[in-house]
Amino acid sequence: MSDSAFSKTFNNVIRRPELASLVGAIVIFILFVAVAPPFRSIDAFSTVLYASSTMGIVALAVGLLMIGDEFDLSSGVAVTSTALIATMLNYNLHLNSWVGVFISLASALSIGALNGVLVTRTGIPSFLITLSVFLMLQGLNLAVTKFVTGRVATPIISDMQGFPSAQKVFSSTLHIGPMDLRVTVLWWLLFVGAASYLLFRTRFGNWIFAVGGDKDAAYAVGVPVRRVKIILFMFVGFATWFVGMHNLFAFDSIQAGQGVGNEFLYIIAAVIGGCALTGGKGTAVGTAIGALIFGMTSQGIVYAGWNPDWFKFFLGAMLLFAVITNKSVSRYTEAH
């Protein structure tokens, strides 16, 4: 290979947004393989993938939204909201579980659309709009659950029609050789593949990068900026619904106060995976690697027998590493 060809290949590699996260994932994997013997087992691998998938599904949608230069701070509590809507409708109205599932989906998409419309019509930063929605959803989750059930947790619905089939779709376990794999892992990989195709093989994907890179320039060439952003917020709504349904059919009862704080973990996973805070840059695969780092770190610390307080330290260190690396790479590529 000639020097020019090697230089071109090298520049293409280091320009990949997910490069820093991939390096970090390899380092973390080697670390826990070395210090935590239980981490080397097949069961541990399946547990890591499961933790990564439930984080990664929402982080994927949040990452797409960030590429479009917006944030959604309501995503954490929205997961709980969708589960509460489904379970309370099913229990109190004696509905088939699937009816509650689809009503919940419509609600999740409506929340996403509301966020998108408010952001694009008012011009108020999405940080403030979605923070407001976060607080409203958090209050509704607690207040309505207490009013309807008299408690902060919902009653079980496992004896209702449609529950077994919905459980298979959202929270079943697949036996693949010696490994027990949760179905959310397969859904996660499917969503990552679909999002990668969307970003790099479709016109809508080009629109996402254009909107995130320069909104005014995108307007000038005819990109429907408002529609793109609203759809991206609805993607987040869909992802929160899917994970909410997993939580419901995996655990059968939902705590009204759960989910608070997860919105930051979704954003962190996306940023670690190479999504720029300023928009216009990122990949679906990168968000998957960021979620995998979350899964390996959260489970690896347990298998190593360390104090779980170290989890936040590792996550913060990886975030700092990713941000600094991506900034350094951007300066290098601009200079070359």
Side-chain angles (χ1 to χ4, degrees), residues 247-289:
N247 291 342
L248 172 59
F249 292 105
F251 306 111
D252 198 12
S253 180
I254 299 296
Q255 294 286 333
Q258 69 188 53
V260 177
N262 285 352
E263 59 278 350
F264 295 109
L265 297 180
Y266 302 142
I267 293 173
I268 289 170
V271 172
I272 290 175
C275 293
L277 292 170
T278 53
K281 180 181 178 183
T283 65
V285 173
T287 67
I289 297 174

Side-chain angles (χ1 to χ4, degrees), residues 163-174 183 187 249:
F163 188 93
S165 59
Q167 189 176 51
K168 288 181 180 179
V169 171
F170 294 105
S171 65
S172 59
T173 300
L174 306 175
V183 72
W187 281 115
F249 292 105

Side-chain angles (χ1 to χ4, degrees), residues 109-142:
L109 294 177
S110 297
I111 292 171
L114 174 64
N115 281 333
V117 169
L118 288 175
V119 169
T120 57
R121 293 294 180 182
T122 64
I124 298 172
S126 55
F127 177 90
L128 294 175
I129 293 290
T130 58
L131 178 61
S132 302
V133 174
F134 157 80
L135 293 171
M136 289 189 290
L137 289 178
Q138 185 182 12
L140 283 172
N141 288 351
L142 289 167

Side-chain angles (χ1 to χ4, degrees), residues 217-232:
Y219 264 126
V221 296
V223 174
V225 174
R226 288 178 177 171
R227 190 197 318 164
V228 169
K229 293 198 174 191
I230 291 171
I231 291 174
L232 290 175

Side-chain angles (χ1 to χ4, degrees), residues 80-283:
T80 303
S81 297
T82 60
L84 289 172
I85 290 170
T87 187
M88 286 196 288
L89 285 174
N90 288 343
Y91 183 83
N92 291 284
L93 300 181
H94 306 288
L95 301 173
N96 184 290
S97 292
W98 283 105
V99 176
V101 165
F102 287 116
I103 293 176
S104 177
L105 173 60
S107 301
L109 294 177
S110 297
I111 292 171
L114 174 64
N115 281 333
V117 169
L118 288 175
V119 169
T120 57
R121 293 294 180 182
T122 64
I124 298 172
S126 55
F127 177 90
L128 294 175
I129 293 290
T130 58
L131 178 61
S132 302
V133 174
F134 157 80
L135 293 171
M136 289 189 290
L137 289 178
Q138 185 182 12
L140 283 172
N141 288 351
L142 289 167
V144 175
T145 303
K146 285 183 179 179
F147 176 78
V148 174
T149 68
R151 302 180 300 166
V152 294
T154 61
I156 62 174
I157 60 169
S158 54
D159 58 344
M160 304 193 73
Q161 287 186 345
F163 188 93
S165 59
Q167 189 176 51
K168 288 181 180 179
V169 171
F170 294 105
S171 65
S172 59
T173 300
L174 306 175
H175 306 288
I176 304 175
M179 181 185 296
D180 292 335
L181 197 66
R182 298 299 291 267
V183 72
T184 51
V185 176
L186 299 184
W187 281 115
W188 175 42
L189 296 177
L190 176 64
F191 292 152
V192 169
S196 295
Y197 181 85
L198 175 73
L199 281 175
F200 298 106
R201 293 289 186 271
T202 69
R203 182 172 62 172
F204 188 80
N206 291 332
W207 287 352
I208 295 174
F209 284 110
V211 167
D214 189 331
K215 180 179 67 174
D216 294 332
Y219 264 126
V221 296
V223 174
V225 174
R226 288 178 177 171
R227 190 197 318 164
V228 169
K229 293 198 174 191
I230 291 171
I231 291 174
L232 290 175
F233 276 106
M234 293 177 72
F235 281 170
V236 176
F238 172 83
T240 61
W241 164 79
F242 194 92
V243 175
M245 293 306 96
H246 165 72
N247 291 342
L248 172 59
F249 292 105
F251 306 111
D252 198 12
S253 180
I254 299 296
Q255 294 286 333
Q258 69 188 53
V260 177
N262 285 352
E263 59 278 350
F264 295 109
L265 297 180
Y266 302 142
I267 293 173
I268 289 170
V271 172
I272 290 175
C275 293
L277 292 170
T278 53
K281 180 181 178 183
T283 65

